[in-house]
Amino acid sequence: MQTDNRNMILAIVLSLVVLFGWQYFVAGPQMEKVQREAQIAAQQQADQAVAPPTASGEVPAAQEAAGTPVFADRAAAVAASERVGIATASLDGSINLTGGRLDDLRLRNYHETVDPTSAEITLLSPAGVANAYFVEQGWVDAAGSTRPGADAVWTVEGANATLTEATPVTLRHDDGKGLVFRRTFAVDENYLFTVTQSVENTTGGDVALFPYSRVARHGTPHTANFFILQEGPLGVLGAQNLIEMSYADLAKEGQRNVDSTGGWLGFTDKYWAAAILPEPGAAISARFFHSKPGALDVYQASFVGQAPVTVAAGATAAHTSYVFAGAKVESIIDSYEKAYGFDRIELLIDWGWFHFITKPMFYIIRALHGLLGNFGLAILAVTVIVKGLFFPLANRSYASMAAMRRVQPEMKAIQERFKDDRAAQQQAMMELYKKERINPLAGCWPILIQIPVFFSLYKVLFVTIEMRHAPFFGWIQDLAAPDPTNIFTLFGLIPWDPTVLPMVGGLLHLGVWPLIMGITMWVQMRLNPPPPDPTQAMIFNWMPVIFTFMLGSFPAGLVIYWAWNNLLSVTQQWIIMKRHGAEVNLLGNIAASFRRKPKATTEKPAGGKAG
């Protein structure tokens, strides 16, 4: 039967989706957890780093500063040097006066957990601790020496000793050789730093220096390792367009050099990023670089100006660049692109290949959130909107399915009449479809349409920080995280964590909303009688169970969407098929699912022994 063939194809496709999803959404994160533990152990034993690029693009092999101390923790590292405080509405931290670098930064509006009293998100940390992560500007001369060096001690110039939105801070360093360096930091109310470097030349001759900027990251950070999410080195560099690499890719490649006019580069995490940006239109030589002094992986994104800044004797010259360090909030990033002309900085957020669907989906959800005040309600509302947009196509599809059901007696008669002639049976079926104006594949369209919408919504929930820690109702306090309840702990009554078990742990987190989703999916499949083929019937019976377990680790917002979408689909399909005269015996089909099939009996051959 053509319908059975369609169902079998659909079942195979869904099975492949399950296997593919298991690999990326369950098995992958478990392997990453083991790798992260090993990486942290290695990071705690190392504290070396790599120096910034020279004017020629080379990276010196020497360490940043000989004998860099190892600190017990981040607090000890911050306290070990004099600093200038940072206090804005969005950030707090400090600038290290040793090296004049930005290496202590926390995000005031974001916390580790949904508890507002939990620790703030730490973005940047000093060298000498695990997961060191910092940004630095400076100069290099024609000989390749950094000016001033990474261990140079700076002082605060002027009375202001705290960087705020309204009060920039200027640092000063006299190298004792006729050059006075100044570095002025300004920051807006969000996450953009403007760094202006100047050189005062009191020597007797001209001095040519190349400005540089870099982001350094010590140790390989933990990443989600999902194919739909970019985490690691990232940049937009002119003709090279978008450059995306994983940390493993950069470690294998060693380095990648790119000449560009304008652009930006840095490192991105799921929700946070640190990037360096030259003035739009500035000619730069950019580099992504990896080194491994000892046991420590060091990753660096840097650029150096292609043209030197020449400072005449007795004169002063300056250079300006920018640093983005903070949360990847779409509206903030978009405002920077418009105000400063940064080239496609919107790509700090990984909208993916289907950005033309994903971004509009995000805009709609954000607008609905503004009206409804809750992202969960916005997701439910956008589902209704999508259903409305695709109603004409769904109507035709379900109408075709209803027509298929009406002609099932004729189809069975054709099968019986041509049971020994497959070609004639197919020909008769096609004539019947043509006569009744039936498209046997029309029932697949609602599912095929749902795939890009589902993927786009998943992408929005997974990558946009606006969804992070966004509450719904009841126990759902973070739509971007899995449902926190778990049937395998009797919803918290049993004090154990089954997800830590090897191999099967990823399947042992099954909350209330995944169960609701599974039930609605099972009910939706009961709208149609079970396929006559036992194999197909078994696949369709198990499909809701498989998806229920697989979606147990998915973001709660996505599971809520799927359950709501299933409920709407059941209602829509039932109404449309009833309007077209098809019998929809939902309760009967559900009852048939639990009815035990009679066992086949074998008749005795006639003609036994005479008594």
Side-chain angles (χ1 to χ4, degrees):
M1 189 186 298
Q2 194 74 13
T3 304
D4 295 339
N5 292 337
R6 183 202 69 209
N7 290 341
M8 176 59 78
I9 293 172
L10 182 59
I12 292 172
V13 171
L14 292 176
S15 300
L16 291 174
V17 170
V18 171
L19 294 174
F20 187 69
W22 165 261
Q23 174 64 32
Y24 280 101
F25 301 123
V26 179
Q30 288 184 347
M31 295 176 63
E32 283 295 313
K33 183 177 180 181
V34 176
Q35 294 172 359
R36 176 177 57 175
E37 293 173 353
Q39 290 163 358
I40 291 174
Q43 291 165 13
Q44 291 174 340
Q45 301 173 6
D47 65 309
Q48 295 174 323
V50 66
T54 67
S56 61
E58 297 298 325
V59 179
Q63 297 178 5
E64 291 183 14
T68 301
V70 178
F71 299 97
D73 54 33
R74 185 179 183 279
V78 171
S81 59
E82 293 189 27
R83 293 177 170 272
V84 172
I86 299 173
T88 74
S90 302
L91 302 169
D92 55 30
S94 59
I95 300 170
N96 195 339
L97 291 181
T98 300
R101 65 173 52 149
L102 182 61
D103 66 355
D104 171 28
L105 200 63
R106 297 178 302 279
L107 310 183
R108 301 184 67 171
N109 299 324
Y110 297 95
H111 298 265
E112 294 287 350
T113 70
V114 294
D115 183 357
T117 64
S118 63
E120 295 174 354
I121 292 294
T122 296
L123 182 61
L124 302 182
S125 296
V129 298
N131 305 309
Y133 191 13
F134 54 86
V135 183
E136 183 181 78
Q137 289 76 28
W139 306 86
V140 288
D141 58 25
S145 300
T146 58
R147 307 286 297 273
D151 58 350
V153 177
W154 297 69
T155 59
V156 179
E157 188 172 68
N160 181 39
T162 301
L163 175 61
T164 70
E165 303 97 317
T167 56
V169 166
T170 298
L171 310 183
R172 182 181 185 275
H173 175 78
D174 188 337
D175 71 352
K177 300 177 183 178
L179 296 180
V180 179
F181 297 90
R182 290 180 175 83
R183 192 171 295 167
T184 299
F185 291 86
V187 64
D188 68 0
E189 67 277 12
N190 295 309
Y191 309 114
L192 188 67
F193 293 83
T194 302
V195 183
T196 303
Q197 303 185 87
S198 66
V199 181
E200 180 184 348
N201 182 7
T202 63
T203 67
D206 296 349
V207 175
L209 297 173
F210 296 83
Y212 77 83
S213 185
R214 67 169 177 143
V215 187
R217 194 160 201 175
H218 297 182
T220 305
H222 170 68
T223 60
N225 199 31
F226 286 0
F227 76 103
I228 66 168
L229 176 66
Q230 165 61 23
E231 293 181 278
L234 176 70
V236 170
L237 295 166
Q240 293 293 320
N241 206 352
L242 176 65
I243 296 176
E244 295 177 311
M245 289 185 283
S246 67
Y247 291 102
D249 290 338
L250 182 55
K252 182 178 180 180
E253 191 171 339
Q255 67 183 45
R256 184 181 298 185
N257 301 323
V258 180
D259 289 335
S260 176
T261 300
W264 54 270
L265 67 162
F267 297 100
T268 181
D269 299 322
K270 182 176 182 179
Y271 295 122
W272 336 108
I276 47 177
L277 308 94
E279 289 273 20
I284 61 170
S285 294
R287 166 175 288 187
F288 292 101
F289 182 80
H290 169 266
S291 65
K292 194 166 186 176
L296 179 66
D297 287 296
V298 175
Y299 304 91
Q300 181 172 278
S302 60
F303 70 79
V304 61
Q306 292 182 2
V309 174
T310 301
V311 189
T316 299
H319 176 269
T320 299
S321 63
Y322 303 90
V323 176
F324 174 88
K328 298 192 297 185
V329 181
E330 190 277 336
S331 59
I332 294 174
I333 292 173
D334 183 63
S335 71
Y336 291 152
E337 184 168 334
K338 292 176 180 177
Y340 293 87
F342 297 136
D343 186 11
R344 290 164 288 171
I345 195 175
E346 62 164 345
L347 296 179
L348 273 173
I349 302 173
D350 183 10
W351 297 109
W353 293 346
F354 295 101
H355 60 90
F356 53 90
I357 300 176
T358 307
K359 288 193 73 174
M361 178 75 74
F362 168 75
Y363 294 145
I364 294 172
I365 292 175
R366 187 174 64 183
L368 290 171
H369 170 260
L371 293 173
L372 302 173
N374 184 281
F375 273 112
L377 293 178
I379 291 171
L380 300 185
V382 80
T383 309
V384 175
I385 292 173
V386 170
K387 282 288 185 184
L389 290 175
F390 290 108
F391 178 79
L393 186 56
N395 183 60
R396 291 181 58 186
S397 299
Y398 291 136
S400 181
M401 292 172 64
M404 289 281 288
R405 181 169 295 185
R406 287 200 311 270
V407 300
Q408 279 208 354
E410 296 178 56
M411 294 169 65
K412 290 181 179 179
I414 291 173
Q415 289 176 324
E416 184 65 27
R417 189 186 321 150
F418 299 105
K419 60 183 177 181
D420 296 325
D421 190 343
R422 192 73 175 174
Q425 182 184 126
Q426 290 294 331
Q427 180 64 31
M429 287 286 191
M430 295 305 296
E431 290 176 358
L432 176 62
Y433 295 152
K434 186 176 181 181
K435 173 186 174 184
E436 299 292 337
R437 297 182 178 180
I438 296 174
N439 180 1
L441 298 179
C444 295
W445 278 109
I447 295 176
L448 294 177
I449 290 171
Q450 190 174 220
I451 290 174
V453 176
F454 171 83
F455 181 82
S456 297
L457 182 60
Y458 180 79
K459 189 81 170 178
V460 169
L461 287 170
F462 193 71
V463 307
T464 57
I465 196 170
E466 288 81 357
M467 300 296 163
R468 182 181 185 266
H469 295 175
F472 186 47
F473 295 103
W475 63 93
I476 301 298
Q477 296 300 309
D478 186 358
L479 288 169
D483 186 329
T485 60
N486 192 352
I487 191 175
F488 295 106
T489 65
L490 294 182
F491 305 108
L493 295 178
I494 303 177
W496 77 302
D497 183 7
T499 63
V500 300
L501 296 177
M503 300 302 295
V504 297
L507 289 174
L508 300 181
H509 183 96
L510 194 59
V512 173
W513 273 107
L515 288 172
I516 294 173
M517 188 284 305
I519 292 171
T520 59
M521 187 176 185
W522 182 79
V523 170
Q524 185 179 17
M525 289 188 169
R526 300 283 81 78
L527 279 174
N528 299 307
D533 181 75
T535 302
Q536 293 182 30
M538 181 188 68
I539 291 175
F540 276 83
N541 284 335
W542 279 99
M543 193 64 64
V545 178
I546 294 171
F547 269 75
T548 298
F549 277 90
M550 192 182 79
L551 265 69
S553 59
F554 273 45
L558 189 70
V559 181
I560 292 170
Y561 155 77
W562 197 316
W564 174 240
N565 183 71
N566 287 345
L567 181 61
L568 293 177
S569 296
V570 168
T571 305
Q572 184 182 54
Q573 184 176 348
W574 188 86
I575 292 173
I576 293 175
M577 295 184 76
K578 289 288 286 184
R579 282 177 53 195
H580 286 83
E583 181 184 358
V584 184
N585 188 11
L586 178 58
L587 295 179
N589 292 339
I590 292 176
S593 301
F594 297 100
R595 193 177 300 129
R596 182 176 295 180
K597 293 183 179 180
K599 292 183 179 180
T601 56
T602 305
E603 292 186 5
K604 274 188 168 184
K609 280 187 178 182

